[in-house]
């Protein structure tokens, strides 16, 4: 992180901890899309829910997939967990979401400045780019850094009733994900569709 | 020629009985309850895109990349709403990773409508090379694809392909050839 970004008054948090705090707040079968890698490992470890979708590839598509769910089910809140490296791969999606203004979409960016799962190499943004500033510049007016865990919980509460898309970014440490998602894509999708009430189990 | 007339006819009007290629595609999407249409633009697709925007049945919008559009319709399918992605050949070329890691393994009926550049009068060498990568990618993933050249076959191929994609939960690519659409011509 550059000296300028170090001056940002944001605590470095832990991904599994904040993911668990988010899940604890979900009382209405909200959908959660876990991005590729550690964000969905920690989503799994925080306790499997049928409304969770776990990506196995397609880096950068957590927000677009969540947007699709949000457009299909406008009465359900949809959360997406994305890493900083993944977001960099699909920055254009921020403008698409800003243009469509889905009221029920909440984007959470876990920023540790590294491609953790591939060997912890720094991303090109590390120390030079501010992802919240990029989101704001993309037209997502309701974008902010969470200062600490309490602030994160407050922002999630606010996002639950916001009338437009919200983006919450957190600085996180470099601890690996706690669990490992099972890797059966058809089972993941089918369970998710059951969880969203789109299908009945056989 | 019929094709030339289609190209110059009123582009955004889709009145009943309209037998232009773009009107047939629009009506076929509608009949199959495909209402979410993200696209990355293409000159040849312009009358279809205008028609979709003009019809409130559809939620039609531009995305920054084709991958994004595939993610959106995949999420929508899982949430119970059907969609299709419109793109050009060069956009399809960006999709190998997304097809192989999302649409195919998760068994999502991704409907892709691809305007074919790179053939029959292509004037841009880059476009013609990109076009040659498309069918090998589709074949390597064993993806269903059809190249539509004739107006009289369009509705049958599009309608049956969409129904097959949905019922077999498999992606399909409908490739709109210049013989159908008139393609893009060198005009500078």
């Amino acid at each position: 992180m550059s000296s300028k970004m170090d001056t940002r008054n944001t605590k470095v948090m832990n991904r599994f901890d904040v993911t668990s705090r988010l899940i604890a707040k979900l009382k209405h079968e909200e959908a959660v899309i876990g991005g590729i890698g550690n964000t969905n490992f920690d989503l799994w470890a925080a306790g499997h829910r049928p409304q969770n979708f776990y990506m196995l590839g397609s880096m950068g598509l957590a927000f677009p997939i969540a947007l699709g769910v949000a457009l299909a089910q406008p009465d359900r809140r949809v959360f997406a967990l994305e890493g900083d490296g993944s977001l960099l791969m699909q920055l254009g999606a921020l403008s698409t979401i800003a243009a469509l203004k889905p009221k029920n979409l909440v984007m959470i960016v876990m920023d540790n400045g590294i491609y953790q799962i591939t060997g912890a190499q720094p991303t090109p943004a590390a120390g030079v780019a501010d992802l919240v500033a990029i989101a704001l510049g993309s037209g997502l007016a309701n974008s902010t850094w969470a200062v600490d865990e309490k602030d994160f919980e407050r922002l999630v509460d606010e996002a639950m009733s916001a009338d437009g898309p919200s983006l919450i970014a957190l600085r996180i440490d470099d601890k690996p994900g706690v669990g490992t998602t099972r890797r059966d894509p058809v089972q993941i999708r089918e369970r998710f569709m059951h969880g969203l009430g789109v299908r009945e189990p056989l | 020629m019929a094709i030339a007339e289609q190209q110059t006819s009123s582009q955004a009007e889709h009145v009943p009985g309209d037998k232009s290629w773009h009107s047939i595609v629009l009506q076929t999407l509608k009949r199959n309850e495909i209402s979410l249409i993200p696209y990355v633009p293409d000159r040849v697709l312009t009358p279809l895109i205008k028609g979709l925007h003009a019809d409130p049945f559809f939620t039609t919008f531009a995305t920054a990349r084709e991958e994004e559009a595939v993610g959106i319709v995949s999420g929508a399918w899982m949430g119970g709403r059907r969609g299709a992605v419109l793109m050009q050949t060069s956009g399809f070329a960006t999709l190998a990773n997304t097809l192989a890691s999302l649409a195919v393994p998760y068994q999502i009926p991704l409907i892709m409508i691809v305007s074919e550049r790179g053939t029959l009068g292509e004037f841009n060498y880059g476009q013609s090379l990109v076009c040659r990568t498309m069918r090998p990618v589709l074949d390597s993933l064993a993806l269903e694809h059809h190249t539509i050249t004739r107006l009289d076959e369009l509705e049958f191929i599009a309608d049956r392909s969409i129904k097959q994609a949905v019922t077999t939960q498999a992606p399909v690519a409908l490739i709109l050839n210049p013989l159908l659409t008139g393609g893009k011509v060198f005009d500078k």
Side-chain angles (χ1 to χ4, degrees):
Chain A
M1 291 274 163
S2 73
S3 56
K4 203 166 190 181
M5 287 177 79
D6 283 341
T7 63
R8 215 167 46 205
N9 187 24
T10 51
K11 185 181 168 190
V12 175
M13 292 171 259
N14 174 263
R15 192 192 312 100
F16 176 67
D17 176 60
V18 291
T19 304
S20 300
R21 287 168 190 264
L22 168 69
I23 298 302
K25 286 185 170 294
L26 305 182
K27 310 288 187 202
H28 302 286
E29 300 192 344
E30 292 88 349
V32 184
I33 311 302
I36 180 175
N38 285 298
T39 44
N40 87 56
F41 292 171
D42 277 334
L43 175 62
W44 174 272
H48 174 66
R49 310 159 58 247
Q51 295 81 27
N52 289 355
F53 181 75
Y54 310 98
M55 291 167 60
L56 297 169
S58 327
M59 188 168 173
L61 291 191
F63 290 174
I65 291 170
L67 172 62
V69 176
L71 291 171
Q73 300 207 350
D75 295 330
R76 186 191 301 272
R77 288 278 143 178
V78 182
F79 290 80
L81 310 177
E82 191 63 298
D84 52 337
S86 292
L87 178 58
L88 286 174
M89 209 168 261
Q90 207 66 245
L91 285 177
L94 296 176
S95 295
T96 306
I97 292 164
L100 289 170
K101 303 182 185 67
K103 291 180 177 170
N104 53 334
L105 179 61
V106 187
M107 294 161 275
I108 296 176
V109 183
M110 309 277 192
D111 181 8
N112 58 7
I114 54 174
Y115 294 112
Q116 186 169 9
I117 206 163
T118 56
Q121 302 85 352
T123 73
V128 294
D130 181 326
L131 296 175
V132 167
I134 289 170
L136 289 166
S138 300
L140 292 166
N142 193 13
S143 302
T144 186
W145 286 101
V147 173
D148 56 20
E149 290 84 353
K150 247 195 176 114
D151 192 39
F152 172 69
E153 294 199 23
R154 181 185 65 79
L155 291 166
V156 170
D157 288 340
E158 276 182 16
M160 288 283 191
S161 55
D163 62 357
S166 309
L167 185 143
I168 306 167
L170 311 98
R171 290 170 72 197
I172 58 158
D173 60 32
D174 59 359
K175 299 260 187 337
V178 171
T180 306
T181 315
R182 272 193 245 154
R183 294 191 171 99
D184 181 334
V186 172
Q187 191 181 36
I188 289 169
R189 180 195 41 74
E190 201 64 26
R191 285 291 301 274
F192 184 58
M193 291 176 80
H194 296 160
L196 296 189
V198 173
R199 286 205 182 157
E200 295 295 321
L202 278 175
Chain B
M1 293 296 289
I3 287 165
E5 283 165 26
Q6 286 158 32
Q7 279 217 300
T8 52
S9 68
S10 171
Q11 295 202 319
E13 287 171 27
H14 290 262
V15 291
D18 181 354
K19 292 295 176 197
S20 63
W21 69 265
H22 44 92
S23 183
I24 291 170
V25 171
L26 182 146
Q27 295 301 334
T28 306
L29 291 170
K30 203 170 189 174
R31 197 165 55 249
N32 285 283
E33 295 174 337
I34 294 170
S35 64
L36 191 70
I37 318 286
Y39 65 85
V40 182
D42 167 71
R43 166 83 76 86
V44 173
L45 290 174
T46 299
L48 174 60
I49 291 167
K50 280 186 179 171
L52 292 164
H53 273 293
D55 188 332
F57 174 81
F58 297 101
T59 305
T60 309
F61 54 93
T63 62
R65 280 184 80 82
E66 292 77 6
E67 295 172 291
E68 208 193 314
V70 169
I72 292 166
V73 298
S74 298
W77 164 259
M78 294 189 285
R81 184 171 177 182
R82 295 181 187 178
V85 178
L86 313 184
M87 70 191 95
Q88 190 179 97
T89 338
S90 52
F92 178 85
T94 69
L95 285 182
N97 177 48
T98 309
L99 295 173
S101 66
L102 181 65
V104 174
Y106 286 89
Q107 295 182 10
I108 290 168
L110 167 69
I111 294 153
M112 296 175 280
I113 297 177
V114 187
S115 170
E116 189 173 12
R117 283 286 304 267
T119 186
L120 292 172
E122 181 56 62
F123 49 87
N124 179 339
Y125 187 37
Q127 284 280 5
S128 63
L129 287 177
V130 166
C131 181
R132 287 168 206 160
T133 69
M134 177 167 59
R135 289 177 184 83
V137 168
L138 287 162
D139 290 337
S140 71
L141 290 166
L143 285 190
E144 184 85 8
H145 61 89
H146 297 278
T147 301
I148 310 174
T149 58
R150 293 170 55 116
L151 193 62
D152 63 345
E153 293 178 349
L154 170 61
E155 186 168 358
F156 188 95
I157 294 174
D159 185 69
R160 297 294 178 94
S161 295
I162 290 167
K163 287 179 166 67
Q164 180 175 340
V166 169
T167 51
T168 65
Q169 299 193 111
V172 65
L174 299 172
I175 302 164
L176 307 184
N177 184 265
L179 284 166
L180 178 78
T181 62
K184 185 173 177 179
V185 291
F186 185 79
D187 56 4
K188 284 186 188 136

